[in-house]
Amino acid sequence: MYRKNCHTCHRASFSSAEYGKWLCPTCGEDLTAQKALDALTIERINPPQRNFKKSKTKLN
């Protein structure tokens, strides 16, 4: 389940689909361009990957 927060009425909107046209059910604001959040953890679904430096030491 996905969640987007409306910046107009400040209410949460939920959907089972991450993509597609998404309108706020309360005020009708278009939320399509916003990033979807996980409905339970309220974290981004696909956060950007970070490049970590690899250690040169071997772990045995």
Side-chain angles (χ1 to χ4, degrees):
M1 170 110 10
Y2 302 99
R3 170 185 177 152
K4 291 186 180 184
N5 297 317
C6 181
H7 297 296
T8 302
C9 69
H10 307 287
R11 303 288 305 250
S13 175
F14 299 91
S15 176
S16 61
E18 181 179 1
Y19 300 106
K21 186 125 175 116
W22 193 324
L23 300 177
C24 175
T26 305
C27 69
E29 182 73 20
D30 188 1
L31 306 177
T32 306
Q34 288 187 23
K35 299 284 185 187
L37 306 173
D38 183 281
L40 296 177
T41 63
I42 311 174
E43 295 178 352
R44 286 179 60 185
I45 300 297
N46 298 313
Q49 299 294 322
R50 294 185 180 186
N51 293 328
F52 293 102
K53 292 182 179 179
K54 293 183 180 178
S55 175
K56 293 184 180 183
T57 59
K58 290 185 179 181
L59 298 174
N60 292 333

